[in-house]
């Protein structure tokens, strides 16, 4: 069983938080440009290099980018800028001299910060399915959703069966003494899944209740790690690596990668009542010298071919819900019907405050 490492991402370096929070912008939805590069523009018009800046978890099947290069006459230069948090930090700090032409991997927990810093030139391809445009989010109208996924608590169902204990199913369950010392999560100050769980609890318990929830969870033997890999592979009993905790913060898709050899069942399960929906976007970087090339690459990332390639390579759902999914995902990796949600503007306004409060409550 192997699960590709998603972002063990730094939310933001502590020293950068004041600087990033001070960045502002006036990215008005009305400025959105909906003019993709015409198919007939041809190789001569689009020849040259287009630079794609991504987080470290970007991956497509062999030959996928080459097919785009063959069809357009462009050469794609790929720059991996680090985890999701580092990526946004770099985009903001280099807004006046962009790292490339297109960025992929800014998610809905970070996007409003990048928009406020005028990182993007608003653009969306024409003809996107409604399931894609519905994921844009208020204030993010100039970005293009590429994939989505649910950050959820996962349980080692085999462990609970062996112990004769009913697995937890909700956030509240985890504060029950029956589940003391069983849960490991990631730090929202250093991990994007960790921050997603913090946001889920803000939505679940409200401004007046989320801190008390974390205090109760901490008192029940919660373990916190810096990144997803440590939590999942070192501490989680369901990863097959000798971990001792049967509850871990991961993704709704994770159980699709712990399926038994005969394909009949998964040895883990996602708790779909604990999920926060992440959406990852692509955008044209403001100040690019190659806007036509950049728009052509965004068009490609939103194409049916790339959308169908996402589940097997990045273990996220394609943004376009009309795209066929791997057969096992329907059974073992369903998305939450009602994931928790916090508006991008609220995240941007309270990110530092919430992280500081969480740290004071849980870490001390």
């Amino acid at each position: 069983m192997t699960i590709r490492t998603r972002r063990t991402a730094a939310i933001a370096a502590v020293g950068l938080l004041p600087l990033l929070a001070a960045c502002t912008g006036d990215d008005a939805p009305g400025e959105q440009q909906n003019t993709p590069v015409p198919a007939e523009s041809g190789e001569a018009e689009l020849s040259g290099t287009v630079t794609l800046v991504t987080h470290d978890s970007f991956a497509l099947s062999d030959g996928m980018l080459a097919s785009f290069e063959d069809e357009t006459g462009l050469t794609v230069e790929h720059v991996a800028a680090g985890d999701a948090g580092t990526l946004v930090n770099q985009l903001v700090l280099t807004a006046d001299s962009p790292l490339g032409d297109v960025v992929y991997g800014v998610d809905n927990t970070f996007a409003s910060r990048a928009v406020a810093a005028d990182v993007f030139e608003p653009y969306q391809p024409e003809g996107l399915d409604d399931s894609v445009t519905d994921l844009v989010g208020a204030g993010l109208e100039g970005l293009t959703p590429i994939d989505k996924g649910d950050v959820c608590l996962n349980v080692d169902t085999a462990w609970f069966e062996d112990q004769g204990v009913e697995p937890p199913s909700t956030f509240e369950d985890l504060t029950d003494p029956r589940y003391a010392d069983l849960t490991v999560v990631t730090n929202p100050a250093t991990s994007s899944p960790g921050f997603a769980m913090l946001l889920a609890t803000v939505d679940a318990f409200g401004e007046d209740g989320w801190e008390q929830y974390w205090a109760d969870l901490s008192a029940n033997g919660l373990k916190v790690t810096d990144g997803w890999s440590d939590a999942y592979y070192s501490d989680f009993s369901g990863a097959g690596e000798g971990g001792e905790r049967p509850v871990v913060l991961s993704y709704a898709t994770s159980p699709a990668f712990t399926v038994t050899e005969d394909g009949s069942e998964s040895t883990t399960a996602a708790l779909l009542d604990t999920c926060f929906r992440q959406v990852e976007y692509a955008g044209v970087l403001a100040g690019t010298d190659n806007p036509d090339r950049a728009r052509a690459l965004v068009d490609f990332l939103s194409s049916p071919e790339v959308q169908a390639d996402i589940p097997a390579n990045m273990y996220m759902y394609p943004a376009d819900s009309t795209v066929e999914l791997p057969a096992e995902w329907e059974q073992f990796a369903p998305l939450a019907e009602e994931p928790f949600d916090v508006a991008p503007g609220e995240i941007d306004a309270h990110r530092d405050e919430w992280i500081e409060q969480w740290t004071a409550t849980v870490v001390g």
Side-chain angles (χ1 to χ4, degrees), residues 71-321:
E71 292 172 5
T72 61
L74 293 172
T75 298
V76 178
E77 178 179 323
H78 177 216
V79 176
D83 56 54
T86 300
L87 171 63
V88 172
N89 288 344
Q90 292 193 37
L91 293 176
V92 171
L93 293 173
T94 60
D96 294 333
S97 182
L99 298 173
D101 305 302
V102 174
V103 63
Y104 157 79
V106 177
D107 74 8
N108 54 317
T109 68
F110 286 106
S112 58
R113 172 165 285 167
V115 167
D118 292 329
V119 164
F120 304 109
E121 171 191 307
Y123 174 75
Q124 281 184 2
E126 290 183 338
L128 295 174
D129 188 76
D130 288 346
S131 61
V132 180
T133 56
D134 286 347
L135 295 173
V136 172
L140 309 181
E141 289 82 358
L143 299 178
T144 301
I146 301 299
D147 58 58
K148 62 186 178 184
D150 286 346
V151 175
C152 317
L153 289 159
N154 278 222
V155 295
D156 177 357
T157 52
W159 185 95
F160 282 101
E161 184 176 349
D162 289 344
Q163 298 296 318
V165 177
E166 184 73 17
S169 61
T170 67
F171 281 133
E172 292 87 347
D173 287 347
L174 297 180
T175 64
D176 190 303
R178 290 183 300 164
Y179 305 115
D181 303 320
L182 300 186
T183 302
V184 57
V185 303
T186 50
N187 191 323
T190 56
S191 159
S192 66
F195 188 54
M197 181 177 172
L198 171 55
L199 294 174
T201 60
V202 169
D203 189 26
F205 300 102
E207 282 284 354
D208 297 329
W210 72 265
E211 286 181 83
Q212 184 59 54
Y213 172 74
W214 280 99
D216 294 342
L217 187 60
S218 181
N220 206 37
L222 177 70
K223 182 174 183 178
V224 178
T225 68
D226 285 339
W228 178 88
S229 293
D230 285 341
Y232 198 92
Y233 289 114
S234 297
D235 292 301
F236 182 46
S237 61
E241 303 289 339
E244 297 182 352
R245 293 191 173 232
V247 183
V248 67
L249 183 64
S250 194
Y251 287 82
T253 53
S254 298
F257 301 95
T258 57
V259 176
T260 56
E261 289 187 7
D262 63 6
S264 62
E265 61 181 346
S266 176
T267 59
T268 67
L271 306 185
L272 297 182
D273 289 331
T274 68
C275 298
F276 181 86
R277 179 73 42 85
Q278 281 188 320
V279 179
E280 293 185 313
Y281 303 96
V284 175
L285 289 172
T288 173
D289 293 329
N290 307 302
D292 286 349
R293 302 174 196 173
R295 293 169 191 161
L297 184 53
V298 173
D299 291 351
F300 171 70
L301 292 173
S302 65
S303 68
E305 294 78 13
V306 173
Q307 291 285 289
D309 198 58
I310 285 171
N313 289 281
M314 291 191 280
Y315 308 108
M316 297 286 275
Y317 273 76
D320 188 341
S321 63

Side-chain angles (χ1 to χ4, degrees), residues 253 255-257 259 263-264 308 311-312 317-318 323-334:
T253 53
F257 301 95
V259 176
S264 62
Y317 273 76
V323 172
E324 185 175 357
L325 296 169
E328 64 270 18
W329 280 38
E330 182 176 352
Q331 181 177 0
F332 299 117

